[in-house]
Amino acid sequence: MNLSSFLIMRHEVILLAVILLLVIGEIFIAQRKKNSMVHLAIFLFGIHTLIGFLAIDFGSIFGGMFHTNALIQFFKNIINIGVFILLLQSGDWLQERIVQENKGSEFFILLFSSLLGMYFMVSSGDFLMFYLGLELSTLPIAALAAYETSKRKSSESGIKFILSAALASGVALFGISMLYATSGSIYFADIIGGGVTEPNHLTILGFVLFFAGLAFKISLVPFHFWTADVYEGAPISITSYLSVISKGAAVFILMILLFTVAKSLMGIWEHIVYVLAILTMFVGNLFALRQQNMKRFLAFSSIAQAGFILLGLTTGNQLGVATVVYFILIYMFSNLAAFGVVQAISLKTGKENMKDYEGLYRTNPNLSLVMMLALFSLAGIPPVAGFFGKFFLFTAAASKGYYLLVFLAVVNVTISLYYYLLVVRAMFLRENDLAIPYFKSNLYMKIGLLMTAVGILVIGLFSPIYDYIYELSNLY
Amino acid sequence: MIEGVTIYDILTLTTILFFIGVYGFLTRKNLISILISVEMILNASVVNFVIINKYLYPDVLQGVLFSIFIIAVAAAETALAVAIIINLYRQISSVEVKDTEVMKY
């Protein structure tokens, strides 16, 4: 193993270096200057994000346990940008609350460890690496969800998350053990090359258990019960991370596994995905209608969005891969914008309910405009990017002839439009004497929100991005 | 290979263990018992991996290696869960599920 093959894992190596630098920084930065840890972490992660865009070799190392290609690199860059925006948005919260309790550097170390786990999960070449990546990405998040140790809700969301995540990975492992029994190898390449033409019952059972474990991470409908509670109790930046980065990475690896490893089982998982898509969209949307807390509201909206993503998974071809990755990119910017506004308001005023947003446009026009863009993009209203993301997903599903599924999805878009517009109406049309007073966010938050707003507007209108993703999406 | 014990016997055992774990997870009223149930699920898959490796594919040690990693990760998972439970206990002086719930539909 020489240097050039080691550089295939450049993302991982640099992120690990960032984590170690932060550990050293924690030792040497004086107690009263701990705020500079936040600046240092954001600066280092920014550099890491930029380096990620440089050209790189592809290939596989560790005997095939770790492999990369252009699509995986691109996806890692996407989630890098997402985490960078998230760090910018939570800079204020970190400086005011977390650093004061002297827990600043642990926050970054845990968050980056989780991101490292996602890198390994996304580029895993066998089930062992996949499992380790999954656990490394999940466990630090559980610790972060329970991070505000003085708040009761935070602890509750932490314990709910860790128990359901442990159950999910246990079920997935039981499924993996059955797949191992039938194929005789835990390497994806051997399973693909094994030439299973007639899947037996044990393979199907193992696959279904494995799928159920991953569905927990994406919070598809029969497995979504943890989502709303964890999202409500956890600190907002962690909620944002869970709903955007964590879900995106899980969807991506599920897609790769379905389209390559489980290709021979396509006749079975097509039906599973079809039914789950319908259930997820309906349950997510209908429960979102009655939510008052903004975090719970966005939790159910993100469940519904996961249902839309499943539409792209039904195809099993290059078009499906491209549309799913494109939709994840757009969804990331939209949801980050929505959570960013919720975070800015919650930090300054402590208000998180939809009623408190009434009359927001009179007092804080910029924040309301960003929120409106985000909600329009989530709902899929034409000029913004979310419309194109949904449109391509529906096209992909329709290209396989699933017209009924597309019809039900369009019905769901209509339902979702109603509750997204409820928030917009509260902000723009309602009068309120007790509206949230005008406040100034700090520079990091402004840059973070600006980046999301630009992303929402540009990605939809600038078509070379989609063409580029389509070119990369050649999995076979 | 164990004399007189077929792979079917052991797979039946692990399947029963798995479902006892799932049943316990859904019905127990105490956070620590729920954690124990999760451990049973994980241990069922550990035994599965070792036994499949030993009986079906004895040439390569993939399954045994996998089980070692599962045990290590399960230990980390338990430590973290217990830490969070202790933190919760300091606030509400209870580890019963019914006392922890403030967020509901």
Side-chain angles (χ1 to χ4, degrees):
Chain A
M1 180 157 188
N2 51 23
L3 182 67
S4 65
S5 68
F6 200 63
L7 282 181
I8 287 174
M9 11 187 327
R10 188 184 61 191
H11 274 97
E12 287 77 9
V13 172
I14 296 175
L15 189 62
L16 195 62
V18 170
I19 294 174
L20 293 178
L21 278 176
L22 286 175
V23 175
I24 297 171
E26 163 73 12
I27 299 171
F28 285 105
I29 292 175
Q31 190 65 46
R32 60 198 159 73
K33 287 187 193 161
K34 276 284 149 62
N35 262 342
S36 52
M37 277 303 289
V38 178
H39 305 300
L40 180 70
I42 291 177
F43 174 70
L44 286 175
F45 196 81
I47 292 176
H48 165 65
T49 309
L50 285 181
I51 293 175
F53 282 100
L54 299 178
I56 193 173
D57 288 339
F58 307 122
S60 67
I61 45 177
F62 301 129
M65 286 178 84
F66 183 96
H67 76 100
T68 59
N69 57 32
L71 183 66
I72 291 175
Q73 291 293 344
F74 179 73
F75 189 77
K76 283 178 185 169
N77 285 332
I78 292 180
I79 57 178
N80 269 344
I81 296 173
V83 173
F84 183 63
I85 294 174
L86 193 141
L87 282 180
L88 288 176
Q89 288 178 349
S90 48
D92 212 4
W93 172 71
L94 288 166
Q95 286 180 358
E96 280 187 18
R97 305 276 164 84
I98 296 303
V99 173
Q100 302 310 322
E101 294 173 31
N102 201 11
K103 296 192 293 194
S105 41
E106 289 90 336
F107 178 88
F108 293 113
I109 291 165
L110 285 171
L111 190 69
F112 292 163
S113 309
S114 162
L115 186 62
L116 189 67
M118 263 160 221
Y119 287 169
F120 280 117
M121 179 172 82
V122 163
S123 43
S124 57
D126 74 339
F127 278 120
L128 181 55
M129 190 61 114
F130 170 79
Y131 171 65
L132 291 177
L134 188 73
E135 291 295 323
L136 182 57
S137 69
T138 308
L139 294 185
I141 295 297
L144 286 173
Y147 208 58
E148 291 181 297
T149 40
S150 55
K151 285 188 184 167
R152 197 180 168 305
K153 275 189 175 178
S154 184
S155 304
E156 187 186 328
S157 91
I159 192 69
K160 278 179 176 167
F161 184 67
I162 182 96
L163 287 178
S164 25
L167 177 69
S169 57
V171 172
L173 270 178
F174 205 71
I176 292 174
S177 76
M178 287 172 176
L179 291 177
Y180 172 56
T182 51
S183 62
S185 173
I186 54 174
Y187 286 88
F188 295 158
D190 294 348
I191 299 174
I192 299 168
V196 192
T197 46
E198 195 71 2
N200 56 21
H201 291 115
L202 194 60
T203 316
I204 296 170
L205 179 61
F207 171 75
V208 169
L209 286 174
F210 176 70
F211 186 90
L214 260 179
F216 256 102
K217 306 280 166 196
I218 315 174
S219 58
L220 299 181
V221 149
F223 318 103
H224 70 290
F225 292 102
W226 59 276
T227 317
D229 291 355
V230 173
Y231 280 23
E232 185 186 347
I236 300 183
S237 44
I238 301 309
T239 309
S240 179
Y241 184 86
L242 266 174
S243 82
V244 178
I245 315 290
S246 179
K247 180 176 282 189
V251 168
F252 184 77
I253 187 68
L254 175 67
M255 179 181 71
I256 289 187
L257 290 180
L258 286 183
F259 288 10
T260 58
V261 179
K263 186 77 179 161
S264 56
L265 296 172
M266 185 156 175
I268 292 147
W269 60 254
E270 257 180 343
H271 303 300
I272 302 178
V273 171
Y274 190 99
V275 173
L276 284 188
I278 295 174
L279 274 178
T280 309
M281 287 186 296
F282 271 106
V283 173
N285 279 324
L286 293 179
F287 274 86
L289 286 175
R290 56 188 291 268
Q291 301 304 325
Q292 284 303 314
N293 182 298
M294 282 305 284
K295 280 156 90 179
R296 283 187 91 86
F297 166 76
L298 285 171
F300 280 106
S301 118
S302 85
I303 293 176
Q305 302 283 338
F308 291 120
I309 294 178
L310 286 190
L311 254 70
L313 290 189
T314 49
T315 59
N317 55 21
Q318 188 177 1
L319 183 66
V321 179
T323 51
V324 168
V325 173
Y326 185 64
F327 188 81
I328 291 174
L329 178 66
I330 293 166
Y331 167 74
M332 188 184 82
F333 277 104
S334 325
N335 236 17
L336 278 176
F339 274 113
V341 175
V342 173
Q343 179 161 30
I345 291 172
S346 164
L347 182 71
K348 297 285 178 187
T349 62
K351 292 180 176 170
E352 286 177 0
N353 284 332
M354 207 181 284
K355 268 206 155 27
D356 304 325
Y357 283 58
E358 288 179 358
L360 188 71
Y361 179 67
R362 302 280 152 83
T363 51
N364 295 292
N366 292 342
L367 278 181
S368 344
L369 281 176
V370 174
M371 189 72 169
M372 187 195 75
L373 270 183
L375 293 176
F376 278 6
S377 178
L378 286 172
I381 291 176
V384 287
F387 168 73
F388 299 98
K390 285 224 173 74
F391 180 69
F392 288 147
L393 278 179
F394 294 172
T395 316
S399 74
K400 292 282 278 188
Y402 295 125
Y403 296 116
L404 179 65
L405 185 61
V406 174
F407 171 72
L408 290 174
V410 173
V411 170
N412 271 290
V413 170
T414 320
I415 301 174
S416 73
L417 199 58
Y418 169 71
Y419 61 76
Y420 287 128
L421 288 183
L422 272 186
V423 182
V424 176
R425 186 185 68 163
M427 288 191 305
F428 284 84
L429 301 179
R430 286 291 174 91
E431 301 277 342
N432 187 359
D433 297 336
L434 300 169
I436 294 164
Y438 175 74
F439 62 84
K440 268 184 144 38
S441 303
N442 79 343
L443 184 65
Y444 281 148
M445 177 64 94
K446 279 179 190 160
I447 299 174
L449 289 178
L450 187 70
M451 282 171 77
T452 55
V454 171
I456 291 171
L457 288 173
V458 167
I459 294 170
L461 298 177
F462 190 62
S463 61
I465 297 178
Y466 177 75
D467 295 336
Y468 180 65
I469 294 174
Y470 186 78
E471 235 168 73
L472 292 182
S473 322
N474 195 4
L475 283 180
Y476 320 108
Chain B
M1 293 282 185
I2 311 166
E3 280 302 315
V5 181
T6 60
I7 187 169
Y8 297 108
D9 301 338
I10 304 173
L11 286 182
T12 312
L13 173 77
T14 57
T15 311
I16 292 172
L17 197 60
F18 176 80
F19 282 105
I20 290 175
V22 173
Y23 178 77
F25 185 88
L26 296 175
T27 55
R28 290 279 113 185
K29 300 276 185 281
N30 185 301
L31 287 176
I32 304 285
S33 332
I34 294 179
L35 199 59
I36 294 171
S37 310
V38 171
E39 288 300 308
M40 287 178 74
I41 296 174
L42 289 171
N43 284 342
S45 29
V46 169
V47 177
N48 242 0
F49 270 110
V50 173
I51 225 65
I52 289 164
N53 196 165
K54 184 80 182 162
Y55 277 76
L56 298 179
Y57 311 103
D59 306 331
V60 194
L61 285 180
Q62 283 175 348
V64 175
L65 274 176
F66 206 129
S67 63
I68 294 172
F69 278 98
I70 298 174
I71 293 169
V73 171
E77 217 162 54
T78 315
L80 183 57
V82 169
I84 298 175
I85 290 175
I86 290 174
N87 187 34
L88 196 62
Y89 181 76
R90 280 172 24 188
Q91 293 169 26
I92 61 173
S93 304
S94 164
V95 290
E96 298 294 315
V97 172
K98 66 178 188 329
D99 298 331
T100 59
E101 291 242 302
V102 288
M103 294 180 288
K104 276 185 185 171
Y105 284 118

